[in-house]
C-alpha cells in the first residue's frame, strides 16, 4: 500500500517503494570513472588503427576500417548477394544514392535479373 491507502502493485518498472531512489539522488553518483573510455571511443580507436596488408607482392599500411570496407566490397564483387546488399545500403547511408541519377524499380528488377542470370542463379532462389 502507498501513502494514499490505494493498492500498489510491484512488478516490472514498478519497484517497491522502500527501494526506490530518493528524489534528487542518482543511481550512479560517481558516474563513469575518469580516464575510462566509452565504447564509441574504443571502436573509433580500433577502426583507425593501422595494419599491414599484403596487396599482391607489396605490403601496404591501411586503417582497419579501410581493410574491412575493402573486404566487404571484394565479397560483393565476387557475387555474394548479402554483401552486394550491404554495400548498396552503406552507399545509400552516405548519400551516394542522391549523387547518382534515380533508377526506376523496373530498371532495378531488370539489372538484378541480369546479374542473377550472369552468375548462374535463377530468380526463384534455386542455384
Amino acid at each position: 500500500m502507498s501513502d494514499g491507502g490505494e493498492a500498489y502493485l510491484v512488478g516490472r518498472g514498478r519497484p517497491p517503494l522502500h527501494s526506490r531512489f530518493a528524489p534528487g539522488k542518482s543511481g550512479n553518483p560517481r558516474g563513469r570513472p575518469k580516464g575510462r573510455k566509452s565504447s564509441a571511443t574504443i571502436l573509433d580507436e580500433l577502426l583507425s588503427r593501422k595494419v599491414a596488408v599484403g596487396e599482391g607482392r607489396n605490403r601496404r599500411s591501411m586503417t582497419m576500417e579501410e581493410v574491412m570496407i575493402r573486404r566487404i566490397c571484394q565479397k560483393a564483387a565476387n557475387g555474394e548477394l548479402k554483401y552486394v546488399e550491404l554495400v548498396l545500403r552503406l552507399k545509400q547511408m552516405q548519400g551516394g544514392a542522391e549523387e547518382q541519377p534515380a533508377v526506376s524499380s523496373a530498371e532495378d528488377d531488370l539489372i538484378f535479373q541480369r546479374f542473377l542470370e550472369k552468375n548462374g542463379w535463377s530468380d526463384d532462389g534455386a542455384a
Side-chain angles (χ1 to χ4, degrees):
M1 290 239 181
S2 64
D3 294 342
E6 60 208 44
Y8 177 76
L9 297 175
V10 175
R12 182 171 172 86
R14 297 180 58 91
L17 295 173
H18 69 276
S19 64
R20 287 185 176 185
F21 292 120
K25 291 263 187 167
S26 169
N28 187 12
R30 288 188 255 159
R32 180 174 52 88
K34 289 185 181 191
R36 190 166 194 188
K37 298 176 183 176
S38 69
S39 297
T41 303
I42 293 169
L43 182 61
D44 285 341
E45 286 177 2
L46 288 173
L47 290 176
S48 63
R49 183 177 289 170
K50 294 274 188 174
V51 292
V53 178
E55 283 188 338
R57 293 182 178 190
N58 301 328
R59 292 197 61 79
R60 195 175 148 195
S61 180
M62 298 183 204
T63 65
M64 184 69 78
E65 184 174 20
E66 185 177 357
V67 171
M68 290 170 50
I69 292 171
R70 284 175 179 264
R71 287 186 181 162
I72 290 170
C73 289
Q74 185 63 47
K75 288 183 181 232
N78 288 337
E80 295 186 44
L81 293 178
K82 176 172 66 171
Y83 293 99
V84 170
E85 183 181 339
L86 178 60
V87 168
L88 295 175
R89 199 176 311 140
L90 288 170
K91 180 102 171 126
Q92 185 179 21
M93 286 173 43
Q94 293 191 345
E98 297 171 359
E99 298 169 8
Q100 298 176 351
V103 178
S104 72
S105 177
E107 288 178 89
D108 285 342
D109 292 341
L110 182 61
I111 292 168
F112 187 65
Q113 183 63 36
R114 286 181 183 161
F115 174 80
L116 290 175
E117 290 170 1
K118 180 180 175 186
N119 289 291
W121 297 312
S122 64
D123 61 348
D124 60 2

